[in-house]
Amino acid sequence: MRPASWRSCPSCPPGSATPPSSWPRRWPQRSGRTCCAGARSPGSACTVDAPRPLLVRACTEVPAMDRPVRVRFAPSPTGFLHVGGVRTAIFNVLFARRQGGKFILRIEDTDHERNTEEALQQILESLRWLGLAWDEGPLRQSDRKELYRSRLESLLASGQAYRCYCSAAELEAKRQKAIAEKRTYKYDRTCRDLPAGAQDGRPYVVRFRMPDQLPDHFDDLIKGRIPIEPENLDDWILARSDGSPTYNFCVVVDDADMGISHVIRGDDHVINTPRQIMLYRAFGFPEPSFAHMPLVHGPDGSKLSKRREAEYRALGISVSALEYRAMGYLPQAVVNYFARLGWSHGDQEIFSRAELEGMFELKDVGKSASVMNPEKFKWLNAHYLKETPDAELAGMLPPYLAALGFPAEPGPRLARIAGAFKERAKTLAEIAEQARVFFEAPSAYEPKAVQKNWKADSPGLLGRVRALVAARGVEDEPGLEQAFRELAEAHAGGKLGAVAQPVRIALTGSSASPSLFLVMAILGQDEVLRRLDRALASLPGPAPQG
RNA sequence: GGCCCCAUCGUCUAGCGGUCUAGGACAUCGGCCUCUCACGCCGAGAACAGGGGUUCGAGUCCCCUUGGGGUCACCA
């Protein structure tokens, strides 16, 4: 079943200036998101009298799902993939899957200098790691210059764009003046109606001839009705003086060309939307629906910034997607966490990928920005760690161990180690860290642990344990445990802890570890004996009698 | 600063006018389990920013204030 879609106002046909009184206060997709009903001046709200019919429609039409659902993620390869981008990609993928549509990857590399091949590869790697597979692409804007050029020509030819010969310096001066006078800077249209040919040979940029009549709002699938403020819209630049097309221009050309039906992107693009809508209309392209997602904020409440990575790292988060892999997060956890950040489905917290793809609805996306919470993220990761089979975990561990200087190969031993620590750690990196006890003998014994658990009779007990291990080995965990219990019964007042803790300290140097019997089994008989001997030699001997 | 957006526990959120003495999750604090540490289980504290309206009735609708955020390029 297809979800109710956001449609253009059914009661507001082109030409109709007065919304009927029966106008629904609630719109199907989401409560509180009104269309014309909420207009500032009811009665003439959303119709603009049009000198140019092509450019005007009653209401911002949101063509719904009478065309195939196609969404896109369009990162620009200027650095690592930002977590905000990850979330945008996730929402797009989930939306596409839920709607049975296509997810397209487009690379916005029109920029000069700032783009690097390395960044692109890292973005692709991040997406692959997270299992965010694209159905088409990656398409690169740098391969589509001819398309932009011809579209620009057509706009120029029809008079909807014009050449502007103002120099960057002149414009900058005007901007500074406006700022000094506390005015909003807006291009003054100096070149709008220049006689043809007058400026031949001088460098120019191409500007969009912004229509005088604009719709008063557009409808956003997440944020609802967004007013359009004509004061803020000037004749913006479509192509730079070097001929390269600008972002706002490429986006529209590409989205239209690729048949994008829903533009799901970050909040920070809301401001661009009116310009883009007008460009769609100038071209006569069908407009997509827009959905602007609230941004992800850092713990300080402001938009995540790549520049503040150092601060974030101290708090356990990162702006870089791939960094979470280095920190030992599982891709399922990352997807679950970011999907759930700003989107919810009742009280559910854990979502399998299939569930997400089956449940995701734009109407369940919240309107306010959300702050990342590293604790919850870790908790989720811990959940997925526990859910992952030991052998699989063992396969992922070597890089994390290698980072600590412990070469290791996946195998039964590593699987056992993974099993021993997966409920004690929240990340793969933590598993590796805790597993160090299996890769090197303790270099010291925690003073606190010794003080608390190393008693006068400990050396004696340890000696008995040594004999026990020497006699029966360490492979039979339950049997060994039984033997320990008997030993405790006979020599330690029946308290297993009185035996176990000193042994634990001897073997691990610490008072905390996985089950002692599992630890011994993984260590192996020889190593256990070695460590017991060492402890016996270096820890305090029996207290003087009396 | 102009414009725009947002506002329920510390954080993520449920809530779509009465079922709210506001639910769940993370975190925190107790307890249980227990060879330690964890896991798990049980329990506790913790929120409708403030003020006006509308309504028989408002966390839910409207307005204002306050607070937070976003955006103001020949970047994307």
Side-chain angles (χ1 to χ4, degrees), chain A residues 497-515:
Chain A
V499 180
Q501 283 307 78
V503 175
R504 194 184 310 279
I505 290 169
L507 297 180
T508 70
S510 147
S511 63
S513 85
S515 161

Side-chain angles (χ1 to χ4, degrees), chain A residues 60-315:
Chain A
T60 301
E61 238 170 78
V62 184
M65 310 187 184
D66 40 3
R67 57 172 165 148
V69 168
R70 292 170 62 80
V71 298
R72 46 57 165 195
F73 175 55
S76 77
T78 54
F80 53 72
L81 182 59
H82 188 282
V83 290
V86 167
R87 198 172 65 130
T88 303
I90 290 171
F91 280 34
N92 272 286
V93 169
L94 297 181
F95 181 79
R97 295 289 162 264
R98 172 76 174 97
Q99 303 291 331
K102 296 280 191 224
F103 171 62
I104 296 139
L105 179 62
R106 182 173 75 223
I107 306 300
E108 311 241 314
D109 58 356
T110 45
D111 196 353
H112 6 284
E113 300 133 39
R114 301 213 298 147
N115 299 305
T116 68
E117 181 63 24
E118 189 190 348
L120 172 59
Q121 289 310 321
Q122 204 191 111
I123 288 169
L124 299 183
E125 171 67 9
S126 304
L127 259 17
R128 283 192 209 102
W129 174 57
L130 293 170
L132 301 174
W134 49 94
D135 300 306
E136 294 173 26
L139 278 69
R140 290 173 175 246
Q141 287 186 329
S142 54
D143 292 337
R144 301 162 65 81
K145 291 187 178 142
E146 185 51 34
L147 176 66
Y148 307 131
R149 201 197 53 73
S150 70
R151 291 282 190 267
L152 196 62
E153 284 305 318
S154 76
L155 243 27
L156 241 14
S158 66
Q160 290 166 300
Y162 62 90
R163 295 180 174 83
C164 167
Y165 299 89
C166 298
S167 73
E170 283 167 356
L171 294 174
E172 185 53 28
K174 285 177 182 174
R175 178 176 300 111
Q176 290 307 331
K177 185 154 180 276
I179 292 170
E181 293 170 6
K182 301 194 174 185
R183 296 192 333 259
T184 307
Y185 169 75
K186 196 174 166 184
Y187 176 61
D188 61 8
R189 300 184 174 182
T190 303
C191 303
R192 196 180 228 223
D193 296 304
L194 248 34
Q199 304 285 331
D200 279 358
R202 295 186 55 199
Y204 61 87
V205 299
V206 177
R207 288 185 184 270
F208 182 55
R209 187 184 298 272
M210 203 64 175
D212 293 325
Q213 301 293 323
L214 303 174
D216 74 338
H217 76 280
F218 70 91
D219 290 302
D220 188 280
L221 260 27
I222 291 171
K223 305 178 89 70
R225 178 194 177 85
I226 306 222
I228 293 176
E229 187 51 65
E231 280 310 304
N232 298 147
L233 299 168
D234 62 0
D235 286 353
W236 49 286
I237 294 172
L238 298 168
R240 305 180 184 100
S241 47
D242 66 358
S244 64
T246 59
Y247 168 76
N248 278 308
F249 176 67
C250 294
V251 175
V252 171
V253 169
D254 283 332
D255 284 343
D257 185 64
M258 296 171 187
I260 300 302
S261 62
H262 299 257
V263 172
I264 303 171
R265 68 208 334 181
D267 233 352
D268 46 346
H269 288 290
V270 169
I271 197 79
N272 292 321
T273 309
R275 296 180 207 281
Q276 293 173 193
I277 287 174
M278 297 321 288
L279 192 51
Y280 275 100
R281 294 185 182 186
F283 279 125
F285 293 150
E287 294 162 39
S289 302
F290 291 95
H292 289 96
M293 327 174 6
L295 268 19
V296 178
H297 285 180
D300 68 332
S302 67
K303 180 180 170 182
L304 285 176
S305 154
K306 289 186 180 182
R307 298 185 175 185
R308 302 176 50 194
E309 180 68 7
E311 277 172 67
Y312 297 143
R313 296 298 283 279
L315 295 166

Side-chain angles (χ1 to χ4, degrees), chain A residues 101 401 416:
Chain A
L401 288 165
R416 245 174 147 178

Side-chain angles (χ1 to χ4, degrees), chain A residues 353-435:
Chain A
R353 182 62 181 269
E355 283 177 313
L356 288 173
E357 293 181 353
M359 295 171 167
F360 185 83
E361 297 280 342
L362 251 15
K363 74 174 173 57
D364 297 319
V365 176
K367 295 210 249 185
S368 50
S370 23
V371 173
M372 278 192 72
N373 180 330
E375 263 67 48
K376 185 163 184 175
F377 194 1
K378 278 196 172 189
W379 168 77
L380 253 182
N381 198 57
H383 165 82
Y384 285 105
L385 237 32
K386 279 176 269 185
E387 212 178 50
T388 306
D390 296 351
E392 216 173 296
L393 248 19
M396 306 176 192
L397 243 19
Y400 300 93
L401 288 165
L404 263 27
F406 305 127
E409 290 295 318
R413 180 173 142 95
L414 209 49
R416 245 174 147 178
I417 291 174
F421 290 115
K422 70 179 182 183
E423 352 195 279
R424 266 162 262 262
K426 293 190 189 302
T427 64
L428 290 166
E430 282 179 22
I431 292 184
E433 176 54 41
Q434 293 180 20

